[in-house]
Amino acid sequence: MVKTTKRSRKFEAKGGAKKMLEKGTITKKGKLRMGNRRKKLDPSLDALARSTEQKKAEKEKEQYEAKRSKDDFTSKENLGELDLQSFLQSVVADGEENGSVDDFRLQESSDSENDLNDGDVEGKKNDDNDDDDDDDDDDEDPWDDSDGDDDDDDDEDIEAAEKRMKDEMAKLAETDPEFHDYLQKNEASLLEFQNETSDVDQDELDGVNSDTDTKTHDQDNNVEESTESNVVLVDAKLLKKLEHGAFESHGIRPLRKLVAAYVSACHMADTQHHDEDGTGRYRVQKSKRYLIESSTVFDKLLVTCLSKAHEEFHYHLLGMGSKGGNDDDDDDDDDDDKEENMNKHVDESQGKDTIDPDKPINPQKLARAPRWLSLSMSIKSFMKATLHLLSEAKEAKLLNFIIKALANYLPFVSAFPRLGNALLKSLTAMWASSSDSSKPYQAVRVNAFLRIRQLAITQPFPFIEQCLKATYLAYAKTAKFANASTVSSLLPQLTFMGNCVVELYSLDYASSYQHAFVYIRQLALHLRSALQKKTPEAFRVVYCWQYMHCLKLWTAVLAATCGKVGDGDEESALMRSLIYPLVEVIFGTASLIPSTRHLPLRLHCVRFLQQLAAASETFIPTTSILLEVFDLKEVSMTPKRAKKGTGDIRGVRLPIILKLPKDDPLRTAEQLDACLGETFLLMNREVDLYKFSAGIPEFTVRITQRLRKFAKETKNGKFRAYAKGCIELCEKNSSSAILARSKLEEAPKDIKRLEILRPANTPTMGERYDMAIAKERRLEASSQPDVGKQNKKNGKRARDGNDDVDEQEKNKEDSLSSRNQERKVKARKKLVVDRKALENTAVLEEEDEVREGIDWSASDDSSDDGSE
């Protein structure tokens, strides 16, 4: 028998599953039925809910008592069931207490009226200004769960809760003034119960474009507006009035109306108004919708809002306007004129506020602003509309204007995390887009990256990690399609994207280290899988352009952020610790398939290693990979001639290929010249990098031995000259190093710096490497023609010559056939023999008619004269 647990025994003691079903605690399927648990609210709304529940409990108790007294046979309603003596005693007792039965009934009715009217004490104070409030409010209260009959009770509960809240805050100020001051500084919204609830309800019910106001003195205007049409036509006059009220008078209500018109303008092309928060849910348009018919007004509205709205947001939340409290009442023209004069005086005395778009804004600072509740939804709707406009725009000029204008609004996005994510996604898509390669769209990509960088700087800490992840993944997806066929279009864009990623990873080394560690480890896992499986599919994952471009990117990132040895920078030391795993991955990639065909890929890996060594001033030898090239059998063989039609006058461009052709790799003169030339170039650069190292004499011994052997074996004078030049460079650096290290005071084991022999005013390893790369690029640009133009010319020639191809081929065939026929005729003529001439033997017996004494050596003229 299985021993029952304490929990199971307790469950059975309570009645088991049958009892739970009766109580409704669990369903028939065995799932727990959770009660309606109210979410945690702020103190003001929580007090309101508690008062409402208490009122309902008291009312239910009264109903229960009334029902109980009605069912009691000895109650006053059932006096007819009593006998005469009991009836007389009850009447006498009631008369003594209340005077008479009628007085008792009057007293009971008056008591019930007093109980019902207890909650109206505070409500009557505001009835003078709010008489038509219930008639105008057609929206449902999201916090109201009661029926329509209990609306008056709920209003009374709200007013009573407001009064109790104010009384409690007043008592708190007297009993504990220090805590009251703390609330005023940090949680001022708790002390403004009535204003906060009214603002929140108004924003939730009417949205950003709502024209109803939270103040009591605007209720009459709201009654008139509710009877008007739901569509407002925006013309030049109305736009000018809104601009004057928002930007010159600094009114909040004109600003909110202007933002509402801007939102409507951004959604003019939409058939339905839907929410741009990524949920896909359609929202109901309850507030006024602004209609713009003139294109001039439309353009002016967009330009004005994108150019000036940020100044007003900053003014009301962080500038001069934030010191004056909540100014939602400044809606009338007279109030606007007074506020305009006041703000002019402030500007003249104290000056205008300065705005730094690259400076982050603390979201808590925005939330503590007095006018945040009035402007938060407007700012949010403004950013949503701008994001929607950004996704709908197609022209490069319009996109550039919108993206540049966003620079002033990104600091406010810190209060809306979801908007920041949507904006990052949209900007990353434009930054990585390869659909348009024109120059105007290149400016769009540059501006999009500037906004991504600004988001990484201005948003709270975790957001920069999202920027790092999004940009690297976009780079990796684009790198998949960058190869030799797209060298003229996609490769320059990929280089630009790589530089942008390097810039982002240079902002925060702590976050960059975490992401770089994860992605370098991912590359190592792909390499390990290829080494273990050894299948063509696993090899293709490593030996592809996407993998090589990712290695190139992380090489550039670590080269830019690793710093120098012993500089004392802890953050650079984090990135420097990733050099060793990346070097191991590169060496493993180079040695994965040691075949002649993949020689260009190994030379790419050598370039990565030399870049890391130069940037970090670390000894990373690559001579083992370079000297293996001279051991290939194809190097010592006589190169073949290129087939007609397959030769390329430009030769083989190693920077844009990963492997040689499958048929006879490294057998043509072009391939051999390109690969050996690249090998000698990298060998000379390797020697130049470590020429100021104390161990350079020993380092060059193996190089000089192998190159002398190659110079003796090769029959190509060009390659022999390359080898002799590299040998002379090694000997020169070795002799100078031996002379310099003889003057050192440190022992070889005490040397901690790689370039211990470098003079004071000599360029470092990184500087020499950069100068060598710049020189190489200049030579390559001067020697190689423009591939794009050449392809265009070839394409044009092909299109122009399509009409004459058939005719030319036909002429060639005719000419060849005619020549063949002539050759055949000549051959037949040679074979034809005149048989009659052979049978005529009499001719052989005839004597020659040559006279004696004729000089055959004389000229024709002399012979003619002699014959005559």
Side-chain angles (χ1 to χ4, degrees):
M1 183 176 179
V2 180
K3 183 179 179 181
T4 59
T5 61
K6 183 177 180 181
R7 180 177 297 177
S8 61
R9 291 195 300 270
K10 188 176 181 180
F11 179 73
E12 293 295 335
K14 290 183 178 180
K18 185 176 181 181
K19 192 68 175 179
M20 295 298 177
L21 287 173
E22 294 177 357
K23 290 183 177 181
T25 308
I26 60 175
T27 62
K28 294 182 179 180
K29 295 183 179 181
K31 296 182 179 180
L32 291 176
R33 178 177 291 134
M34 305 299 293
N36 294 328
R37 298 181 178 178
R38 186 170 58 255
K39 296 181 179 180
K40 185 178 180 181
L41 306 175
D42 53 54
S44 59
L45 297 177
D46 196 10
L48 175 60
R50 286 199 303 269
S51 62
T52 305
E53 292 178 357
Q54 184 178 2
K55 193 70 176 179
K56 288 182 178 179
E58 293 177 357
K59 189 173 182 179
E60 291 177 357
K61 185 177 180 180
E62 292 178 359
Q63 293 177 354
Y64 175 74
E65 293 293 340
K67 183 179 180 182
R68 182 179 179 183
S69 62
K70 184 177 181 181
D71 295 337
D72 189 3
F73 289 100
T74 60
S75 62
K76 296 180 176 61
E77 287 80 359
N78 296 324
L79 290 178
E81 303 295 333
L82 301 178
D83 54 359
L84 183 59
Q85 186 176 0
S86 300
F87 171 75
L88 294 176
Q89 290 178 359
S90 61
V91 172
V92 172
D94 292 337
E96 293 178 355
E97 293 178 0
N98 300 323
S100 64
V101 177
D102 295 334
D103 294 339
F104 170 78
R105 291 176 180 176
L106 292 174
Q107 183 68 25
E108 183 182 7
S109 62
S110 62
D111 292 340
S112 61
E113 291 176 359
N114 291 333
D115 292 336
L116 292 174
N117 295 329
D118 284 341
D120 297 337
V121 177
E122 293 296 330
K124 292 179 180 179
K125 296 181 180 179
N126 298 325
D127 286 344
D128 297 336
N129 296 326
D130 299 336
D131 292 337
D132 298 330
D133 182 68
D134 296 335
D135 297 333
D136 298 335
D137 192 8
D138 296 330
D139 299 330
E140 294 182 359
D141 189 359
W143 300 101
D144 189 6
D145 297 332
S146 60
D147 298 333
D149 298 337
D150 298 335
D151 291 339
D152 297 336
D153 296 339
D154 292 340
D155 294 338
E156 295 168 2
D157 296 337
I158 293 173
E159 293 167 358
E162 290 176 0
K163 181 182 178 182
R164 286 194 297 271
M165 187 69 179
K166 291 179 180 179
D167 295 340
E168 291 176 0
M169 291 298 104
K171 293 179 181 179
L172 180 62
E174 296 177 358
T175 57
D176 195 353
E178 295 181 358
F179 182 67
H180 189 268
D181 296 339
Y182 173 81
L183 290 178
Q184 285 183 340
K185 293 179 181 179
N186 299 298
E187 299 291 341
S189 59
L190 296 179
L191 303 179
E192 299 176 359
F193 175 73
Q194 184 175 359
N195 295 333
E196 180 180 2
T197 54
S198 61
D199 290 337
V200 172
D201 293 341
Q202 191 65 33
D203 290 334
E204 290 182 354
L205 292 177
D206 296 335
V208 179
N209 303 332
S210 176
D211 288 329
T212 57
D213 205 349
T214 60
K215 299 300 179 178
T216 56
H217 73 277
D218 288 332
Q219 296 298 326
D220 296 336
N221 296 332
N222 295 335
V223 174
E224 297 176 0
E225 290 178 359
S226 62
T227 58
E228 298 175 356
S229 176
N230 200 34
V231 179
V232 177
L233 179 63
V234 180
D235 53 4
K237 184 178 180 181
L238 179 58
L239 180 60
K240 186 177 181 180
K241 182 179 179 182
L242 292 177
E243 289 179 3
H244 180 272
F247 302 129
E248 297 182 8
S249 301
H250 299 291
I252 289 185
R253 177 162 184 167
L255 178 62
R256 294 173 65 178
K257 287 185 177 181
L258 191 65
V259 171
Y262 171 79
V263 172
S264 299
C266 293
H267 291 274
M268 282 185 63
D270 299 346
T271 55
Q272 291 179 334
H273 298 273
H274 59 279
D275 198 0
E276 295 294 336
D277 57 356
T279 59
R281 295 191 298 266
Y282 290 95
R283 62 180 175 88
V284 181
Q285 186 72 17
K286 294 183 179 180
S287 59
K288 286 191 176 182
R289 184 168 61 88
Y290 292 84
L291 180 63
I292 302 100
E293 295 181 350
S294 174
S295 59
T296 305
V297 176
F298 178 83
D299 295 340
K300 187 176 180 181
L301 176 62
L302 292 183
V303 173
T304 301
C305 290
L306 288 173
S307 303
K308 297 182 179 180
H310 67 94
E311 298 178 358
E312 293 303 311
F313 294 156
H314 187 274
Y315 174 85
H316 290 294
L317 298 177
L318 303 172
M320 300 296 179
S322 61
K323 302 176 182 179
N326 197 338
D327 288 342
D328 282 345
D329 344 325
D330 302 328
D331 301 327
D332 297 335
D333 295 336
D334 297 337
D335 296 337
D336 290 340
D337 295 337
K338 293 179 182 179
E339 188 175 357
E340 179 183 3
N341 296 332
M342 180 184 68
N343 289 324
K344 286 182 178 179
H345 177 69
V346 171
D347 290 340
E348 292 175 359
S349 60
Q350 299 182 3
K352 296 183 178 180
D353 300 328
T354 58
I355 303 174
D356 186 6
D358 292 332
K359 184 178 180 181
I361 300 177
N362 192 347
Q364 296 180 359
K365 185 177 180 181
L366 291 175
R368 289 195 298 265
R371 299 182 179 180
W372 173 248
L373 293 176
S374 301
L375 288 177
S376 60
M377 298 302 296
S378 296
I379 297 175
K380 186 176 181 180
S381 63
F382 180 88
M383 294 304 300
K384 283 184 178 181
T386 306
L387 186 61
H388 177 76
L389 182 63
L390 198 63
S391 62
E392 295 294 331
K394 303 300 179 183
E395 295 183 2
K397 292 183 179 180
L398 180 58
L399 287 172
N400 277 323
F401 175 74
I402 298 173
I403 296 174
K404 288 181 180 179
L406 276 175
N408 298 314
Y409 299 94
L410 294 186
F412 297 99
V413 181
S414 59
F416 311 102
R418 295 181 66 183
L419 278 179
N421 295 333
L423 191 58
L424 175 62
K425 184 178 179 181
S426 179
L427 292 174
T428 305
M430 286 185 288
W431 171 67
S433 176
S434 59
S435 59
D436 192 355
S437 60
S438 60
K439 290 184 178 180
Y441 203 83
Q442 294 292 339
V444 174
R445 294 192 182 97
V446 174
N447 291 323
F449 169 71
L450 293 178
R451 300 292 81 77
I452 294 174
R453 184 181 183 276
Q454 188 181 1
L455 280 173
I457 294 174
T458 57
Q459 301 309 301
F461 162 68
F463 193 83
I464 188 174
E465 297 187 352
Q466 300 179 18
C467 296
L468 297 177
K469 181 179 179 180
T471 51
Y472 173 72
L473 293 180
Y475 176 87
K477 291 178 182 178
T478 308
K480 186 177 182 180
F481 307 101
N483 48 28
S485 60
T486 59
V487 63
S488 61
S489 59
L490 198 58
L491 195 59
Q493 179 188 349
L494 195 66
T495 304
F496 162 73
M497 293 177 64
N499 295 333
C500 294
V501 174
V502 172
E503 173 65 22
L504 275 184
Y505 275 81
S506 302
L507 297 178
D508 186 3
Y509 287 171
S511 300
S512 301
Y513 169 78
Q514 297 177 1
H515 286 266
F517 178 86
V518 171
Y519 293 126
I520 292 175
R521 183 177 180 272
Q522 187 178 17
L523 297 176
L525 292 177
H526 286 302
L527 178 61
R528 186 182 67 177
S529 177
L531 289 172
Q532 292 176 349
K533 295 180 180 179
K534 294 183 179 181
T535 58
E537 293 78 10
F539 288 151
R540 278 196 293 268
V541 173
V542 177
Y543 276 25
C544 65
W545 275 111
Q546 186 179 22
Y547 193 90
M548 295 303 296
H549 280 304
C550 290
L551 285 178
K552 181 180 179 181
L553 174 66
W554 292 120
T555 300
V557 169
L558 296 185
T561 59
C562 65
K564 300 293 188 281
V565 178
D567 55 0
D569 191 357
E570 296 181 357
E571 293 183 350
S572 298
L574 280 175
M575 303 300 294
R576 189 181 181 85
S577 63
L578 296 175
I579 292 179
Y580 176 75
L582 181 61
V583 168
E584 290 297 323
V585 172
I586 296 175
F587 270 117
T589 304
S591 60
L592 181 61
I593 305 179
S595 63
T596 306
R597 189 184 179 192
H598 294 91
L599 178 59
L601 185 142
R602 293 199 292 274
L603 296 178
H604 283 296
C605 293
V606 171
R607 284 182 174 270
F608 299 157
L609 295 172
Q610 289 183 354
Q611 184 179 358
L612 284 174
S616 61
E617 293 186 0
T618 307
F619 180 67
I620 306 176
T622 59
T623 53
S624 59
I625 301 176
L626 296 175
L627 293 179
E628 287 177 356
V629 178
F630 302 108
D631 297 333
L632 298 175
K633 62 179 182 179
E634 290 83 1
V635 176
S636 59
M637 298 172 64
T638 303
K640 295 182 179 180
R641 292 183 180 180
K643 296 180 181 180
K644 294 183 180 181
T646 60
D648 193 353
I649 60 174
R650 296 170 297 163
V652 179
R653 299 186 63 186
L654 291 180
I656 60 174
I657 63 173
L658 289 182
K659 54 186 177 181
L660 297 173
K662 189 175 183 180
D663 298 333
D664 295 333
L666 206 63
R667 293 290 290 118
T668 63
E670 291 82 4
Q671 296 176 5
L672 196 62
D673 189 13
C675 293
L676 286 182
E678 181 75 6
T679 302
F680 280 111
L681 175 66
L682 296 177
M683 186 73 71
N684 291 334
R685 188 172 299 165
E686 181 88 357
V687 175
D688 183 71
L689 284 177
Y690 305 114
K691 68 179 180 179
F692 293 120
S693 174
I696 188 65
E698 293 77 14
F699 176 70
T700 56
V701 171
R702 174 59 181 161
I703 299 176
T704 54
Q705 289 178 354
R706 187 65 186 87
L707 290 181
R708 285 193 180 97
K709 182 179 178 181
F710 173 77
K712 291 180 181 180
E713 294 176 351
T714 185
K715 298 178 181 179
N716 193 321
K718 184 179 180 180
F719 299 152
R720 188 182 299 109
Y722 284 162
K724 289 183 178 179
C726 187
I727 292 172
E728 291 177 359
L729 181 62
C730 292
E731 292 176 350
K732 179 182 177 180
N733 292 332
S734 297
S735 59
S736 60
I738 292 173
L739 181 62
R741 73 182 181 181
S742 63
K743 302 177 183 180
L744 290 177
E745 298 178 357
E746 297 90 346
K749 64 177 182 179
D750 297 332
I751 296 176
K752 298 181 179 180
R753 191 162 58 93
L754 181 62
E755 291 190 304
I756 191 65
L757 304 179
R758 183 173 62 87
N761 297 325
T762 307
T764 61
M765 289 180 62
E767 294 173 352
R768 295 196 303 273
Y769 179 82
D770 293 339
M771 290 188 293
I773 292 296
K775 182 179 179 180
E776 181 184 355
R777 288 176 179 175
R778 289 195 300 268
L779 293 175
E780 184 181 0
S782 61
S783 61
Q784 298 292 342
D786 192 352
V787 180
K789 293 182 180 179
Q790 188 70 22
N791 293 336
K792 290 181 181 179
K793 290 182 180 179
N794 295 337
K796 185 176 181 181
R797 290 175 184 174
R799 288 192 299 269
D800 296 339
N802 285 336
D803 299 335
D804 302 332
V805 170
D806 297 336
E807 185 177 357
Q808 291 177 0
E809 292 181 354
K810 186 177 180 180
N811 294 334
K812 289 181 180 179
E813 292 177 357
D814 294 341
S815 61
L816 290 175
S817 61
S818 60
R819 290 178 184 177
N820 292 334
Q821 289 178 359
E822 290 177 358
R823 291 176 182 175
K824 290 179 180 180
V825 170
K826 290 181 179 180
R828 289 175 183 176
K829 286 182 179 181
K830 291 181 180 178
L831 296 176
V832 173
V833 180
D834 191 358
R835 297 185 180 276
K836 293 182 179 180
L838 292 176
E839 294 175 356
N840 189 9
T841 58
V843 180
L844 299 175
E845 297 178 356
E846 293 180 358
E847 297 181 355
D848 295 333
E849 295 180 355
V850 179
R851 295 180 183 181
E852 296 179 359
I854 296 177
D855 188 5
W856 294 100
S857 63
S859 61
D860 294 340
D861 296 337
S862 60
S863 63
D864 293 340
D865 294 339
S867 62
E868 291 176 355

